[in-house]
Amino acid sequence: MPNSIINVVPRGRTIAFVLFCLTTVQLVFQHPYIVILPNERANVFSATLCLLTLIITILLGRQKSGKGIGPDFWISLALSLIVIVSSIFSVAPRDSLERAYVILSAGLAGYWCSKFLLNEPNFQTIFQWLVNGLLLCVIFLALLGLYLTGKPHEFIDGHWHPVGSRLLLMSFAPLSLLLGDVRRSRIVGGIILLIDLVAIYIVGRYAFMESILLIPAILCIVAFFLFKWTRITRKILAVILAITVSAGIFFAYINPKNLDLDHISVSYRIESLFFSIDIASKHPWLGNGLWAPRISSLKDYTLHYPYLSKDQFSKWVIDYRTSEDLYLTFLADLGVLFFILYFGSVLYILVNFLRLSRKQTSWSVFHPVAIFLPLIAECLRFLVLDDLFHPQSSWFFHILLGLAVMRRIQK
């Protein structure tokens, strides 16, 4: 740890980084919180903090370089314009613009603040330890809420899904310690990561988030084959994989209700695949609009899933204005062009980062595996959730994307 970052880093960058850390704390705990739009579910306050942090970072935190504007700037601009125009022309412009504001503020701020600020080794170290501490707090509050009220989100959020995303995304911090060079830090990172895994199983089992139980197993398989490990590490990964699969099978066996063919978790998501594609075919350029009502698209729509009635699906379409799958939601709500440009960019970053990471023999604070695996975990979560509607999830996801791009540029 540096003796004084103020003596090393310009004061403006230090101010921007402090605000970046404070915003991270607010997003993790959702406190303090001010209701800006009454009777609205959109998390406008946290999104506004993200936007303010981005503005301060651009004004004070950027390092001057001779490089011109990169392609990620133009991609960010194009994506923002598509979202704004789509929202303006949707059937519910106000609702769409509110969600657009939240998604764009958290995503752009997380990505660009990470790229501008976390290229400083001192800031990386501080942020790494900060997130480790915050992750332990999240685990404690989630388990406490589960024990006292049966709700893991009782003390930190309005819903349980963002709690699961925090447990996955914030694991990059203990993973970085575990895969580092300092023996004492490796021990601390291993303990925190083990606690995190236990919390994932407990919260996933008792909060109706069974899908999260499969993600650690998938990550073990990904890590086992994509990265080089010592013999001992491979054995550890194999043990974790075996335990994870066994736990998933056990929990599915003792709680089969959510696996029923007509359960909303199954039937709504399966039918939304066909319904989202149908909406995208009718609105290919700008989509239906974020959070805009979809009921009008049901008039000439024929259901494909045999275990679901049209009346029931109609009620769900009214209550849930997304596809409960981020890929399908963005396809239906924002159109084909946004879908290709955004997810194509994410895929490009992941593939290039993986390719360079496998060749790299040294790294700074954040081990490439510690960045890559949580990103993959969140991409898997996108298959069953619309996580980027929550700024607390989008913030960390785009921070990791910024770290991946920053490392690729520095290479």
Side-chain angles (χ1 to χ4, degrees):
M1 182 74 68
N3 294 327
S4 175
I5 63 171
I6 298 178
N7 295 330
V8 178
V9 182
R11 182 174 296 179
R13 280 176 59 78
T14 302
I15 293 173
F17 177 70
V18 170
L19 181 58
F20 175 74
C21 292
L22 291 175
T23 301
T24 300
V25 173
Q26 194 282 331
L27 286 164
V28 167
F29 297 118
Q30 291 296 286
H31 290 287
Y33 188 86
I34 300 174
V35 177
I36 297 178
L37 296 177
N39 302 320
E40 288 292 340
R41 292 173 56 186
N43 191 343
V44 177
F45 178 71
S46 294
T48 302
L49 283 181
C50 293
L51 181 60
L52 176 63
T53 304
L54 175 60
I55 293 172
I56 297 299
T57 299
I58 293 174
L59 294 176
L60 302 178
R62 291 182 59 191
Q63 285 182 324
K64 294 182 179 180
S65 64
K67 297 180 180 179
I69 297 176
D72 48 357
F73 170 81
W74 299 111
I75 292 174
S76 298
L77 180 61
L79 291 172
S80 300
L81 289 175
I82 293 173
V83 173
I84 293 172
V85 174
S86 170
S87 300
I88 292 173
F89 287 97
S90 74
V91 296
R94 177 178 174 176
D95 291 344
S96 295
L97 285 170
E98 288 172 1
R99 266 65 187 186
Y101 175 74
V102 172
I103 290 175
L104 290 176
S105 296
L108 292 173
Y111 177 83
W112 288 103
C113 290
S114 171
K115 186 176 175 181
F116 289 150
L117 296 174
L118 294 182
N119 56 3
E120 177 69 45
N122 295 338
F123 290 169
Q124 290 181 353
T125 301
I126 294 172
F127 190 68
Q128 179 190 49
W129 285 103
L130 172 66
V131 176
N132 272 296
L134 293 176
L135 177 58
L136 287 175
C137 292
V138 168
I139 293 170
F140 173 76
L141 292 175
L143 295 180
L144 181 65
L146 194 61
Y147 176 74
L148 294 179
T149 68
K151 301 175 183 178
H153 59 285
E154 180 69 21
F155 302 124
I156 49 176
D157 216 305
H159 202 276
W160 54 74
H161 288 154
V163 177
S165 297
R166 287 183 185 85
L167 297 177
L168 290 173
L169 284 167
M170 295 173 70
S171 66
F172 79 90
L175 266 172
S176 295
L177 292 178
L178 179 63
L179 299 172
D181 298 326
V182 181
R183 184 174 183 273
R184 187 174 300 177
S185 296
R186 289 203 302 266
I187 295 173
V188 173
I191 293 173
I192 297 176
L193 188 62
L194 179 61
I195 296 173
D196 188 33
L197 285 171
V198 172
I200 287 173
Y201 291 131
I202 294 175
V203 171
R205 165 63 183 89
Y206 291 100
F208 308 105
M209 296 191 299
E210 288 83 354
S211 60
I212 199 175
L213 301 175
L214 300 176
I215 293 180
I218 297 173
L219 295 183
C220 283
I221 296 174
V222 171
F224 190 89
F225 288 104
L226 292 185
F227 296 96
K228 296 179 180 179
W229 304 103
T230 63
R231 183 176 299 179
I232 295 177
T233 307
R234 284 182 172 270
K235 290 181 179 179
I236 293 174
L237 288 172
V239 170
I240 295 175
L241 176 61
I243 294 174
T244 303
V245 172
S246 300
I249 294 174
F250 174 73
F251 290 142
Y253 176 76
I254 65 175
N255 188 27
K257 183 179 179 180
N258 287 359
L259 299 178
D260 291 343
L261 294 177
D262 59 347
H263 192 275
I264 183 173
S265 296
V266 177
S267 57
Y268 180 73
R269 285 184 170 91
I270 292 178
E271 188 59 47
S272 289
L273 169 63
F274 304 101
F275 187 49
S276 300
I277 294 174
D278 183 72
I279 294 175
S281 66
K282 297 174 182 176
H283 310 279
W285 299 112
L286 295 176
N288 186 63
L290 288 168
W291 205 256
R294 297 177 168 187
I295 191 65
S296 60
S297 299
L298 271 177
K299 293 180 180 179
D300 55 351
Y301 176 74
T302 303
L303 264 64
H304 296 75
Y305 190 64
Y307 301 97
L308 181 63
S309 67
K310 187 141 187 187
D311 288 340
Q312 181 61 71
F313 188 64
S314 298
K315 293 178 182 178
W316 287 342
V317 168
I318 295 173
D319 293 336
Y320 306 99
R321 295 190 185 182
T322 69
S323 306
E324 293 295 306
D325 176 316
L326 188 72
Y327 302 104
L328 296 177
T329 297
F330 278 179
L331 177 65
D333 287 1
L334 296 174
V336 177
L337 181 59
F338 181 93
F339 177 87
I340 294 175
L341 188 58
Y342 179 75
F343 289 114
S345 299
V346 171
L347 180 61
Y348 176 81
I349 291 173
L350 290 175
V351 171
N352 279 273
F353 179 63
L354 175 63
R355 178 176 56 84
L356 292 173
S357 297
R358 296 182 70 182
K359 295 179 180 179
Q360 197 166 354
T361 57
S362 62
W363 41 80
S364 54
V365 173
F366 297 111
H367 192 289
V369 176
I371 300 173
F372 184 78
L373 291 183
L375 283 172
I376 295 298
E378 189 64 6
C379 288
L380 291 172
R381 291 273 288 177
F382 290 165
L383 291 169
V384 293
L385 297 173
D386 305 293
D387 258 0
L388 295 191
F389 280 82
H390 303 287
Q392 54 270 48
S393 302
S394 180
W395 175 258
F396 282 105
F397 179 73
H398 288 91
I399 282 175
L400 293 177
L401 285 178
L403 284 171
V405 170
M406 182 267 294
R407 290 178 61 90
R408 178 169 62 86
I409 291 174
Q410 288 187 342
K411 179 70 177 179

